[in-house]
Amino acid sequence: MSNFKKVIMVLTLLIGISSAIVVGSFLFMYKTGEITINFSKSKEDKILKEEELEIFSWWTGGGEAQGLEALFEIFNQKNSDMEIINAAISGGGGSSAKAVLKTRMLGGNPPDSFQVHGGSELIDTYVRAGVMEPITNLINELGIKDKFKQEILEMCSYQGEVYAIPLAVHRGNILWYNKSLLKKYNLKPPTNFSSFLSSLEELSKQGITPLSLGDKDRWPATHIFESLLLSTLGPKAYNGLWNGNTSFSNPKVKEALVRFNEILRYTNQDHAALSWQDSARRLYEGKAVFNIMGDWEEGYFKALGWEADQEFGWSNFPGTKGSFMVIVDSFGLPKEAANPESTKSWLKVIASREGQDVFNQIKGSIPSRIDVDKNKYDLYMKEAIDDFSNNILTPSIAHGSAAPENFMVALDDVINEFVSERNIERSFNNIQDIADKYLK
Ligand code: GAL
């Protein structure tokens, strides 16, 4: 064989191998569900899209994935000519999904609809960037404007227009526990911070992990911190943090760090390697007693086969009775959605009593509609529905409702550094710095 032929053969081989690697990685990403990314829509895609509806979320875990599936079923019954593409990207709290979504939205390649938190995440990140379409007409056409708690609808509105339909209301300030373990160690659910601390101390003497934590995805630590802030400040002063009435130099902000430092002594050592589901699972497996988490944990426990008030119990995060840390999961219409009419058919399911009932009973959240039949819900949710109508609502920082994304990300940094370094003074100063920088 001539040298020339040899060179051509080697080149052909190399090109073949590289193409196989590219196609192989593509297929792998497709299989793992990571393939929603960075493909700009060609004309052909858009024609295909008229039969498809791409729904983006991060609901891939126990409870949340089933809730989403149940919504898809209702949609399919009503729209048999359309196919749903489930573009969920795993990672609790949107730890991976949010960045992908932002790139797609701001790059003009949106999904047809996506899960988004009412409040700052929806309004500051997407509505003010001009990439969402108002859906006020749809709400008027359906005649449902007064069917939602108005504070929740406001979190989904901007300058008089509604931009997303609230599907679910989650509560963040909940302390979950394994009921049989609490009984075994002869403890009552704590009602204030000092009884919580003494229970933790007692459990650690018994040699079991008192408080399970999984902060691999960063936000679970901030999630605990915001409940602590609520406990030290109370709901009015906590809400004042977002309109300038409460300063971040308030000593009660520091007190929240002091309390955090105290409870961190009772957590599992491997917390930085665990997701929120892993930490909830420790309760299920009888390896830990308490866990602080939003009520998607209710949906998760039920997916594992536990029942509310049988195997697992709950109480308000100690010291936050009367407050409801609110996290609103909603869906809207991106301005550049391929087929707005199909998206509106999806939004009608989100807005319907049927859709809200089916989804929320599985997910652990309560419906944002106030005209649903409370009797359909389990004991935990019945209590949450009552508290939702009587309590003071406080928006979550960790889940993007209270403050703009740059503050939330900076707070995640400060709090995660705090969890590993436990330097109260420095973290207190850092919090004030980021508030000065991002909330002015
Ligand atoms: C929240 C979201 C919930 C749940 C949770 C854990 O941000 O609102 O619906 O999915 O994250 O992933």
Side-chain angles (χ1 to χ4, degrees):
M1 200 186 300
S2 70
N3 277 347
F4 178 72
K5 274 192 178 160
K6 277 187 195 154
V7 170
I8 293 291
M9 266 184 67
V10 170
L11 277 177
T12 316
L13 200 65
L14 282 177
I15 290 170
I17 292 173
S18 342
S19 319
I21 291 174
V22 170
V23 171
S25 340
F26 179 89
L27 287 176
F28 174 74
M29 285 172 77
Y30 187 78
K31 272 192 102 169
T32 52
E34 289 167 23
I35 196 84
T36 49
I37 318 170
N38 286 337
F39 288 87
S40 63
K41 278 179 188 160
S42 65
K43 214 172 164 206
E44 287 75 8
D45 283 342
K46 286 204 169 170
I47 290 166
L48 258 183
K49 275 277 172 193
E50 295 194 357
E51 305 297 322
E52 292 177 348
L53 189 78
E54 189 192 8
I55 303 297
F56 186 98
S57 76
W58 57 84
W59 291 334
T60 59
E64 43 194 32
Q66 288 91 335
L68 189 60
E69 269 309 316
L71 278 179
F72 290 167
E73 260 172 48
I74 298 180
F75 179 85
N76 288 332
Q77 280 157 18
K78 296 184 196 297
N79 304 276
S80 51
D81 52 331
M82 278 183 245
E83 194 196 336
I84 292 213
I85 308 293
N86 183 356
I89 293 185
S90 64
S95 50
S96 307
K98 280 184 180 174
V100 174
L101 178 69
K102 200 166 158 191
T103 310
R104 290 188 58 177
M105 286 295 289
L106 303 183
N109 176 31
D112 295 303
S113 192
F114 60 93
Q115 169 205 356
V116 63
H117 292 127
S120 184
E121 187 177 307
L122 168 68
I123 305 304
D124 294 325
T125 313
Y126 297 118
V127 174
R128 291 174 70 184
V131 292
M132 296 301 286
E133 196 62 32
I135 50 162
T136 321
N137 287 346
L138 179 69
I139 299 229
N140 290 338
E141 183 195 307
L142 296 170
I144 53 170
K145 198 158 186 185
D146 60 343
K147 304 289 186 239
F148 298 96
K149 189 163 178 132
Q150 292 309 295
E151 280 157 282
I152 298 299
L153 208 54
E154 269 161 33
M155 290 173 81
C156 298
S157 305
Y158 182 62
Q159 296 185 337
E161 298 276 8
V162 181
Y163 282 90
I165 303 214
L167 166 68
V169 177
H170 272 299
R171 186 176 198 178
N173 54 319
I174 299 288
L175 178 71
W176 305 95
Y177 50 84
N178 175 318
K179 275 192 86 169
S180 62
L181 287 179
L182 212 61
K183 197 163 170 222
K184 173 172 172 195
Y185 295 113
N186 226 352
L187 293 168
K188 295 243 166 335
T191 49
N192 54 32
F193 192 72
S194 68
S195 62
F196 182 38
L197 266 191
S198 36
S199 300
L200 294 175
E201 179 58 25
E202 176 58 31
L203 290 166
S204 82
K205 283 190 197 135
Q206 303 287 342
I208 185 162
T209 303
L211 178 64
S212 144
L213 171 65
D215 58 356
K216 169 167 85 87
D217 292 321
R218 293 156 50 88
W219 61 267
T222 313
H223 185 108
I224 296 180
F225 178 65
E226 72 184 15
S227 282
L228 285 162
L229 267 184
L230 187 58
S231 77
T232 57
L233 285 164
K236 291 202 178 108
Y238 174 91
N239 283 344
L241 291 169
W242 318 116
N243 58 22
N245 287 345
T246 306
S247 161
F248 276 86
S249 61
N250 189 312
K252 292 189 173 161
V253 174
K254 187 170 170 186
E255 179 61 20
L257 289 167
V258 171
R259 288 185 174 186
F260 204 175
N261 191 36
E262 284 170 344
I263 61 177
L264 279 170
R265 286 194 285 142
Y266 301 104
T267 56
N268 42 304
Q269 299 281 314
D270 60 350
H271 58 87
L274 305 186
S275 67
W276 75 264
Q277 284 105 331
D278 297 329
S279 70
R281 217 185 160 87
R282 293 271 162 103
L283 267 59
Y284 177 75
E285 289 167 348
K287 294 179 181 156
V289 180
F290 291 109
N291 183 228
I292 300 158
M293 189 41 66
D295 50 17
W296 40 91
E297 184 144 322
E298 221 255 345
Y300 181 68
F301 282 149
K302 290 195 294 194
L304 291 175
W306 268 13
E307 237 182 87
D309 204 35
Q310 297 298 315
E311 292 85 5
F312 70 91
W314 61 90
S315 62
N316 295 320
F317 180 80
T320 65
K321 198 169 163 43
S323 305
F324 194 114
M325 185 71 83
V326 75
I327 296 140
V328 182
D329 288 329
S330 68
F331 283 84
L333 170 61
K335 211 165 227 157
E336 295 199 42
N339 186 346
E341 287 314 307
S342 309
T343 303
K344 282 183 193 161
S345 306
W346 166 252
L347 295 180
K348 283 181 189 165
V349 173
I350 299 294
S352 67
R353 275 214 305 229
E354 184 190 8
Q356 302 227 337
D357 272 342
V358 164
F359 178 80
N360 289 300
Q361 287 177 53
I362 303 174
K363 182 74 159 61
S365 39
I366 58 168
S368 62
R369 283 186 70 138
I370 47 181
D371 59 343
V372 293
D373 178 4
K374 197 169 112 184
N375 292 322
K376 289 187 175 157
Y377 290 83
D378 70 22
L379 193 66
Y380 168 75
M381 291 164 176
K382 283 197 179 92
E383 268 185 41
I385 291 173
D386 287 346
D387 286 353
F388 180 57
S389 63
N390 304 324
N391 285 186
I392 300 182
L393 303 187
T394 57
S396 158
I397 322 167
H399 299 278
S401 293
E405 191 186 3
N406 46 19
F407 177 78
M408 183 187 82
V409 171
L411 187 65
D412 278 345
D413 286 342
V414 172
I415 295 302
N416 280 272
E417 185 194 83
F418 175 74
V419 170
S420 53
E421 316 234 322
R422 316 267 285 269
N423 187 327
I424 294 169
E425 211 50 58
R426 186 161 80 217
S427 298
F428 184 43
N429 289 334
N430 287 343
I431 290 173
Q432 291 167 61
D433 288 348
I434 61 168
D436 286 347
K437 192 163 170 199
Y438 298 117
L439 296 179
K440 290 280 146 141

